[in-house]
Amino acid sequence: MQELIKKYKTEVLSFKANSEKETESFRIKYLGKNGILNKLFNDFKNIEPSEKKEIGLLINELKNLIVSKINTSQSIKTTNSNNVFFDYTLPEKPKEIGALHPLSIVENKIINIFKLIGFNLETGPEIEDDWHNFSALNMPEDHPARDMQDTFFIQKNPDLLLRTHTSSVQIRFMETNSPPIRIISPGRVFRNEDVSARSHCLFHQIEGLAIDENINFSDLKLIIQEFVNRLFGENKKIRFRPSFFPFTEPSAEVDIYWGLKTETDKKITKGTGWLEIMGCGMVDPNVLENVKIDSTKYSGFAFGMGIERIAMLLYQIDDIRLFYENDIRFLKQFQSSHIM
Ligand code: PHE
């Protein structure tokens, strides 16, 4: 048997493949089901126990030799076989570059502006409890203002809901930090509204909060004007309209004059050229007391805006549903947008 193995060994050593086909028949001859190696292993069962160790080693050695021979024949084929020529000077295939989602682009821009003005980023849970989303924000149970925000409640636990705004993050932050406070809280919010070209049951907000001694409405106006200048350019007109929010007093809504240059402008601004971009106001003293901040010593302002609306204006998108459908033709248009 030793002689036989030696003979195979010389055969294997001298084997040289000229084609894939030859390598394959070599493989079948030695490693196939009825191949030489299996026969050797079969015969191995019947040999004298004293010979087993030596012959076992020889068979294994042969097997390794065969396997490495096949491997080298195959790699020769792929790197530089007879007919395959690889031209290293060819240009690379173009890479598919992903694109940031337009909402991420706008969100990043807004966050960066507020970071430069000195605000820190805070996030919180999307599933909230009644206290952080409503009660602490001066909307006790049965307060009519709760109706303004058509809420999705969690059926099994009526105390839990999908947050309707990211003001809840402000409550969480004030509960665990003391003034001075300057934060912005971006995130996804949910309201049970009919889905149409203008509204959706989920959207994105960025809310801001500043609490310190002697903060007043003119500080708020200054910050908002600075933000608008940086996001939309220096020459945009804005106006503050008196409004109502339970958690701010006085409250206002901010409109920006965008003009009516395109059909989309007309559609988004309902033909007026003006678009409401945020709600804001001075934090109601009740809210400060709810989170144990002394309202005789501290005051502050808060504001909140929807990202979709601003993105629609900036990118001339006239249907909010496009943001959530993930149609690749829509998303690819933002490939060249500035990534901040
Ligand atoms: N939370 C308000 C909303 O979602 C926005 C807002 C924030 C208004 C802060 C005033 C102050 O509509």
Side-chain angles (χ1 to χ4, degrees):
M1 188 155 176
Q2 288 191 8
E3 283 308 303
L4 192 61
I5 297 174
K6 262 194 201 140
K7 187 189 127 226
Y8 289 140
K9 193 174 160 187
T10 357
E11 236 178 71
V12 169
L13 279 172
S14 64
F15 170 74
K16 200 168 175 302
N18 291 316
S19 67
E20 260 177 82
K21 232 175 154 183
E22 278 181 26
T23 314
E24 182 57 9
S25 40
F26 175 79
R27 190 190 66 77
I28 294 171
K29 178 173 168 192
Y30 284 94
L31 300 181
K33 215 163 145 208
N34 300 315
I36 286 168
L37 219 66
N38 271 347
K39 269 197 210 118
L40 287 177
F41 279 125
N42 260 338
D43 297 345
F44 180 73
K45 287 179 201 144
N46 308 323
I47 60 173
E48 290 291 315
S50 58
E51 281 187 315
K52 277 212 158 147
K53 191 172 170 199
E54 200 182 341
I55 293 196
L57 277 173
L58 284 176
I59 297 180
N60 269 329
E61 195 192 345
L62 180 69
K63 186 180 165 192
N64 291 340
L65 201 63
I66 294 164
V67 171
S68 78
K69 203 69 185 188
I70 291 172
N71 284 345
T72 42
S73 307
Q74 277 170 347
S75 67
I76 285 167
K77 178 203 85 199
T78 45
T79 48
N80 195 6
S81 86
N82 304 332
N83 319 322
V84 184
F85 172 71
F86 188 82
D87 183 354
Y88 291 96
T89 65
L90 280 175
E92 211 183 338
K93 273 192 193 154
K95 283 206 179 83
E96 283 278 338
I97 300 173
L100 277 187
H101 193 281
L103 291 177
S104 305
I105 298 171
V106 174
E107 185 178 286
N108 289 348
K109 279 189 178 169
I110 298 174
I111 289 174
N112 278 341
I113 291 172
F114 281 107
K115 273 190 181 164
L116 287 171
I117 307 179
F119 285 72
N120 284 331
L121 198 71
E122 279 300 318
T123 53
E126 291 180 355
I127 296 177
E128 258 307 354
D129 52 36
D130 184 285
W131 170 255
H132 292 95
N133 196 82
F134 290 126
S135 300
L137 285 156
N138 209 20
M139 281 185 272
E141 227 179 290
D142 301 330
H143 193 291
R146 286 192 180 205
D147 290 346
M148 271 162 52
Q149 314 204 338
D150 310 279
T151 311
F152 287 114
F153 288 94
I154 309 276
Q155 217 174 13
K156 290 212 172 107
N157 182 349
D159 187 47
L160 291 182
L161 46 93
L162 298 182
R163 68 178 176 195
T164 60
H165 48 189
T166 55
S167 307
S168 50
V169 182
Q170 306 180 346
I171 297 297
R172 286 183 179 276
F173 191 80
M174 286 191 286
E175 279 175 341
T176 46
N177 294 273
S178 34
I181 290 171
R182 270 182 205 79
I183 54 161
I184 45 164
S185 41
R188 208 155 40 162
V189 301
F190 308 84
R191 291 185 198 176
N192 188 6
E193 279 179 28
D194 290 339
V195 175
S196 70
R198 288 180 59 87
S199 65
H200 212 284
C201 56
L202 91 108
F203 58 100
H204 297 74
Q205 271 193 335
I206 293 192
E207 296 218 352
L209 172 75
I211 310 277
D212 206 342
E213 290 177 40
N214 299 321
I215 288 201
N216 54 43
F217 205 89
S218 56
D219 298 314
L220 167 64
K221 281 183 90 171
L222 180 88
I223 295 285
I224 300 303
Q225 183 70 61
E226 179 64 20
F227 160 70
V228 169
N229 290 351
R230 290 193 189 217
L231 187 65
F232 297 101
E234 292 284 335
N235 47 6
K236 283 276 178 276
K237 261 195 290 187
I238 57 169
R239 67 182 180 198
F240 285 73
R241 260 185 306 105
S243 184
F244 170 78
F245 298 102
F247 30 90
T248 47
E249 181 59 35
S251 306
E253 275 172 321
V254 181
D255 300 339
I256 177 170
Y257 188 73
W258 187 257
L260 292 165
K261 291 178 290 294
T262 66
E263 276 307 307
T264 310
D265 292 343
K266 279 184 207 151
K267 224 169 152 178
I268 300 176
T269 67
K270 288 192 193 147
T272 64
W274 288 94
L275 186 74
E276 181 224 311
I277 54 163
M278 68 169 84
C280 61
M282 301 306 292
V283 179
D284 193 300
N286 287 344
V287 175
L288 296 179
E289 295 301 329
N290 282 341
V291 292
K292 304 202 168 49
I293 290 179
D294 182 355
S295 65
T296 58
K297 187 171 175 205
Y298 294 106
S299 57
F301 61 77
F303 57 86
M305 66 191 110
I307 299 175
E308 277 77 356
R309 227 182 236 198
I310 293 174
M312 286 167 88
L313 213 52
L314 287 175
Y315 290 118
Q316 297 285 293
I317 296 163
D318 59 11
D319 192 325
I320 197 171
R321 290 169 289 200
L322 285 165
F323 288 122
Y324 314 112
E325 284 162 1
N326 281 333
D327 184 328
I328 199 82
R329 292 165 301 180
F330 172 72
L331 297 175
K332 271 196 165 172
Q333 296 176 64
F334 300 93
Q335 262 170 353
S336 60
S337 290
H338 190 44
I339 296 172
M340 287 174 73

